[in-house]
Amino acid sequence: MKVCWVFFLLAFLNDYRSCGVYASQSTRPDVVRIGSIFTFDSVIGKAAKVAIEAALEDVHSSPDVLKGTKLNITMLDSRFSGFLGIIEAIHFMATENVAIIGPQSPVTARALSYLANELHVPLLSFSLTDPTMSSLQFPYFVSTSVNDVFQMGAIADIVKYYGWREVIAVYVDDDYGRNGISVLSDQLAARSCQISHKAPLMAEANVDDIRHVLVQVALEGSRIIVVHAYPERGIDILAAAQYLGMMEEGYVWIATDWLSTLLDTDALLSSEAKKNIQGVLSLRIHTPESEAKKTFVSRWRNLANTEGALRRNIGLSTYALYAYDTVWMLARAIDAFLEGNGSISFTAHPKMNETHEDLHLDKMSIFNEGNLLLNSILNVNMTGVTGHFKFTSDRNLIDPAFEIINIIGTGLWRIGYWSNYSGLSISPPETLHFRPTDNSNSKQQLNPVIWPGETSEKPRGWVFPQNGRQLQIGVPNHVSFKDFVARIQGTDMFTGYCIDVFIAAVNLLPYAVPYKLIPFGDGHNNPSSTELVRSIISGAYDAAIGDIAITKDRTQMADFTQPYIESGLVVVAPIRKSSSSAWAFLRPFTTEMWCVTGIFFLLGGAVIWFLEHRINDDFRGPPRKQVDTILWFSFSTLFFSHRENTVGALGRFMLLLWLFAVLIIKSSYTASLTSILTVQQLSSPIQGIESLVKSNDPIGYQQGSFARDYLVEQLGIHESRLVPLKSPEDYAKALNDGPRHGGVAAIVDEHAYAEVFLSTRCEFSIIGREFTKNGWGFAFPKESQIAIDMSTAILKLSENGELERIHDKWLLRSACSSQGAKLHADRLLLESFQGMFFACGLACIAAFLIHFVRMMLQYHRRCSELESSSQSHTSSSRSSRLHTFLSFADEKEDSVKARSVRRKTQCDSSMNIEQNASISGS
């Protein structure tokens, strides 16, 4: 208790700069004291002790660092005890050490960090990866290994890569375990995954304790288990899992780097222990291959046997490499510190002399230049056996990376790598740093894995929890449309189409699902499916099945399965037979279609007349005859009986295009008129949802349906117009009464209900098409694995035809229909011919412009000839020029050409006469 009280007090002491100098060294001292404390007999400590001693020897033999100054590293064994570690640290603080290497336990490191803050002594750990050791709270603590933030990020990426969503965490319940799992939870959440169950273990848990915890784990649904523990405890966890049958096919075990460290260090692991870890995935800190690493690895056997049997068969772990580089890094930092004229001096702590003389706290002193040495440590930039050794601004080592290990047989199989730069890959991370970063899931890659149970097939990762609890499933207790869902009177049993689909899907699941169907609703009114889905959030139900439409609002409350039936909203309205009339021949075209067709007939005739007028005698004559020609030619093409021939290329092209358009219009009209006159037509005053929205008539909807919210929120229909209806009988009565007698003009409901309703009622029909795209599905809580498996089962039902068979069993009816009757929908709309009319209009404009430009060029040539042949040119008025142009345009082209030839001949004759006269005169 005294020691605890002392450290509680030390944590709140103030920093004092000077109170008498106890020791003062020269600028380049002969010896620099360093303390080192860790558990010698631990998996990490056994190899680390050898590595530290080897590093110290190499530093002293190197002329590049320290230049004659020796490091005196005093190593003390904490013997797996945080208490002893703290006591030994007090001893170090009393012996004027400039730095301390090696606390392994987070508890020890945290307590020593308070001392380090007070005495300004850097605290370096090559094995402590606790992500909560903040540099703001503990500025003198420096981790010289890869932080657990990156290891947990690697595990989260593995979980996401294989498509799993939930994991179970088994960990030691201390700072090391809790802090690591907390970071894992954050990393998984960032990837839309989660820890579904946490299973903490006491640090001193025995075999029975471990088995008890794992039994609870086995009852959970997830089969992805992450073990974050010390090597000594982790191997016991896997042994207990083997004993309980939890290392069989279907399980996935992911161990943090404690397992790879154990296998690297302890070559004499028993065959029984190796049997217990088959198929397990583990991580190992990745250190790039280099000449320095190869040299050190080749020396390791001799180094590990320098003390005979005590060190025999100690393997080289990654943490031993980091221990080796930590000594080198500290040596370079001290060398830089001394090169910068730094001196090593200590000052007595002012309050240590006042209390607890029996603990020798008065010998503790402040390292005056501790802050300078700390900065020198953080600025080291070197290449060691672990690769490039340098700290980032947040005091993490640069380029953190891990190897992903699969334990197979007696060896380790590396299936890939992970780095915070490239994510998962099968190439070493150092080869990817010069490529563009791409962490998309499609670019991630790992080699095949042999999973527990000696299978290469990826485990599903989830089963239904075997905790004896039944799923509480809510089912809407409808008063109508019992073909879909119907409660058997006096029981909690249900029948119907939706129930059969659910049972068939559950039977296809690869695991048993105990469930209980619970009615939702009072049985007198149709319940709201939205409220049923919302009850899943509150925990009243574990799932909801039935005729539940998948809508945007509901998907925000729960996860839905694959739709098992499509059912969008439709309009149902009364229909009546359409009687024939004397003007029935006008029905095929709408008014707009008749008008546009007539305009295009006139336009086509006018354009062809314009193209042929100057070259074709059939299109010439007095004005009245030309008008008659245009009208006759335009409408006679409808029957292909036109008498006029076209002689120009543009005219023939336009005639061909126009005749093709006429053929389409004529064929469409004939087909539509035939249907109207030979098939019994049905009509409705409602044309579809658009006309229903524009009117002010009341609209019916099924009570409890999402149709009400859609009509109000999406289509803006006032609530006063909406009439809730319970049953098909209510539908029929409301439609028959109509809006004038307290009924409705139409009913908006889902297509599946409408089909059942119309199967026995011929006087009503669906008007228009579905105006929403919805389907029915089963609802489960967010992130539910069973929702995914149920979706797969529904797809299988669809593929093997079982879904169709269930549909026919419940919903196939001898549909009510009148032979040869159809809803009046044969009128041809202008929209159907827009493309054709646009193409024809564009061709007309192009032909007109081409002919007009050509005619203008001819007119310009004629004017030029007239000017050149006339001795004097007099300007004419605009009206006279227009009259001249119109006369030219009306004149036949052959006459123009002949006149031009005569004029040219006369011109040539006149010039010859003038030339002869001039020659005679000369």
Side-chain angles (χ1 to χ4, degrees), residues 328-462:
W328 267 99
M329 181 272 296
L330 183 57
R332 292 183 182 278
I334 292 174
D335 184 56
F337 167 73
L338 296 176
E339 285 290 335
N341 297 322
S343 62
I344 298 176
S345 62
F346 292 85
T347 302
H349 200 290
K351 290 195 175 181
M352 293 301 178
N353 295 325
E354 301 176 4
T355 58
H356 301 284
E357 295 181 1
D358 53 334
L359 294 176
H360 304 288
L361 298 181
D362 57 322
K363 295 183 179 181
M364 288 189 178
S365 53
I366 299 173
F367 180 21
N368 294 326
E369 294 79 16
N371 189 51
L372 296 177
L373 178 58
L374 176 65
N375 292 334
S376 183
I377 290 171
L378 296 176
N379 289 325
V380 167
N381 187 359
M382 71 176 196
T383 300
V385 295
T386 60
H388 191 189
F389 199 102
K390 181 182 178 182
F391 293 101
T392 62
S393 59
D394 55 359
R395 297 195 181 185
N396 288 314
L397 292 179
I398 64 169
D399 302 331
F402 286 87
E403 299 174 7
I404 304 170
I405 306 298
N406 185 205
I407 290 85
I408 306 173
T410 58
L412 305 180
W413 168 247
R414 184 172 56 217
I415 64 169
Y417 302 87
W418 178 92
S419 74
N420 67 331
Y421 175 79
S422 58
L424 300 174
S425 68
I426 57 175
S427 301
E430 58 271 15
T431 66
L432 304 176
H433 280 290
F434 301 103
R435 302 180 187 178
T437 179
D438 187 355
N439 290 335
S440 61
N441 202 45
S442 60
K443 299 297 183 181
Q444 306 295 287
Q445 190 175 6
L446 291 176
N447 286 318
V449 177
I450 302 299
W451 304 99
E454 298 183 356
T455 177
S456 59
E457 183 179 355
K458 185 198 78 172
R460 184 176 60 251
W462 188 87

Side-chain angles (χ1 to χ4, degrees), residues 723-842:
V723 179
L725 303 171
K726 294 182 181 180
S727 64
E729 291 73 20
D730 294 339
Y731 283 21
K733 184 179 184 305
L735 289 173
N736 285 325
D737 290 344
R740 295 183 180 180
H741 299 90
V744 297
I747 291 174
V748 174
D749 204 352
E750 296 178 64
H751 194 276
Y753 298 121
E755 284 187 339
V756 173
F757 170 69
L758 297 174
S759 62
T760 57
R761 294 171 174 84
C762 301
E763 66 272 24
F764 311 112
S765 178
I766 294 175
I767 308 298
R769 298 180 179 179
E770 293 182 357
F771 54 91
T772 66
K773 293 295 182 181
N774 300 97
W776 290 355
F778 304 133
F780 292 88
K782 284 288 187 180
E783 310 296 333
S784 173
Q785 286 288 343
I786 193 173
I788 300 174
D789 292 344
M790 285 290 287
S791 293
T792 303
I794 290 172
L795 289 175
K796 290 180 180 178
L797 291 175
S798 178
E799 292 171 358
N800 62 25
E802 183 66 14
L803 200 60
E804 185 68 21
R805 189 195 66 79
I806 298 174
H807 178 276
D808 294 344
K809 171 187 173 182
W810 288 98
L811 305 180
L812 187 62
R813 298 286 187 273
S814 55
C816 171
S817 62
S818 300
Q819 185 67 28
K822 62 190 295 189
L823 191 64
H824 186 78
D826 292 303
R827 304 195 73 185
L828 299 176
L829 303 177
L830 178 61
E831 290 79 3
S832 303
F833 299 90
Q834 281 182 345
M836 183 190 71
F837 283 135
F838 177 78
C840 289
L842 193 64

Side-chain angles (χ1 to χ4, degrees), residues 107-337:
V107 176
T108 303
R110 199 172 294 272
L112 295 187
S113 294
Y114 285 115
L115 277 175
N117 289 352
E118 286 295 323
L119 303 179
H120 299 179
V121 176
L123 183 62
L124 313 178
S125 177
F126 55 83
S127 61
L128 183 64
T129 55
D130 188 349
T132 65
M133 294 292 289
S134 168
S135 59
L136 296 177
Q137 184 180 9
F138 306 114
Y140 283 87
F141 175 81
V142 179
S143 176
T144 59
S145 183
V146 179
N147 195 293
D148 267 348
V149 168
F150 304 107
Q151 178 171 211
M152 298 309 174
I155 292 176
D157 274 347
I158 293 172
V159 172
K160 180 182 178 182
Y161 172 77
Y162 286 111
W164 302 317
R165 299 174 67 182
E166 293 183 349
V167 305
I168 294 176
V170 180
Y171 59 97
V172 176
D173 192 17
D174 63 3
D175 287 350
Y176 164 74
R178 286 191 300 270
N179 296 338
I181 294 303
S182 176
V183 173
L184 175 60
S185 179
D186 294 340
Q187 295 289 340
L188 287 170
R191 294 160 176 81
S192 300
C193 304
Q194 65 175 354
I195 297 177
S196 62
H197 178 72
K198 293 183 179 180
L201 284 165
M202 295 186 299
E204 299 81 13
N206 56 34
V207 174
D208 291 336
D209 296 332
I210 295 174
R211 289 177 180 175
H212 175 73
V213 169
L214 291 185
V215 167
Q216 300 301 316
V217 169
L219 296 177
E220 297 294 326
S222 177
R223 286 292 180 262
I224 315 301
I225 304 171
V226 178
V227 181
H228 186 52
Y230 302 108
E232 299 80 3
R233 187 64 57 233
I235 203 68
D236 293 338
I237 294 173
L238 296 179
Q242 178 71 34
Y243 175 81
L244 295 172
M246 298 174 66
M247 300 297 294
E248 300 175 351
E249 185 176 347
Y251 281 90
V252 175
W253 290 84
I254 303 176
T256 50
D257 61 355
W258 63 264
L259 181 56
S260 62
T261 302
L262 175 65
L263 295 174
D264 289 339
T265 305
D266 195 344
L268 295 179
L269 199 63
S270 67
S271 59
E272 184 66 25
K274 291 181 179 179
K275 178 183 176 182
N276 296 335
I277 60 176
Q278 294 301 302
V280 177
L281 295 183
S282 182
L283 276 73
R284 174 200 285 154
I285 300 175
H286 174 65
T287 54
E289 296 299 324
S290 63
E291 289 300 323
K293 180 181 176 181
K294 291 180 180 178
T295 302
F296 186 71
V297 170
S298 64
R299 293 173 53 198
W300 182 257
R301 184 177 296 276
N302 293 330
L303 292 173
N305 289 323
T306 54
E307 293 185 7
L310 293 177
R311 290 187 174 178
R312 194 175 301 278
N313 296 317
I314 298 177
L316 176 61
S317 69
T318 307
Y319 286 107
L321 296 177
Y322 276 103
Y324 181 86
D325 274 355
T326 298
V327 175
W328 267 99
M329 181 272 296
L330 183 57
R332 292 183 182 278
I334 292 174
D335 184 56
F337 167 73

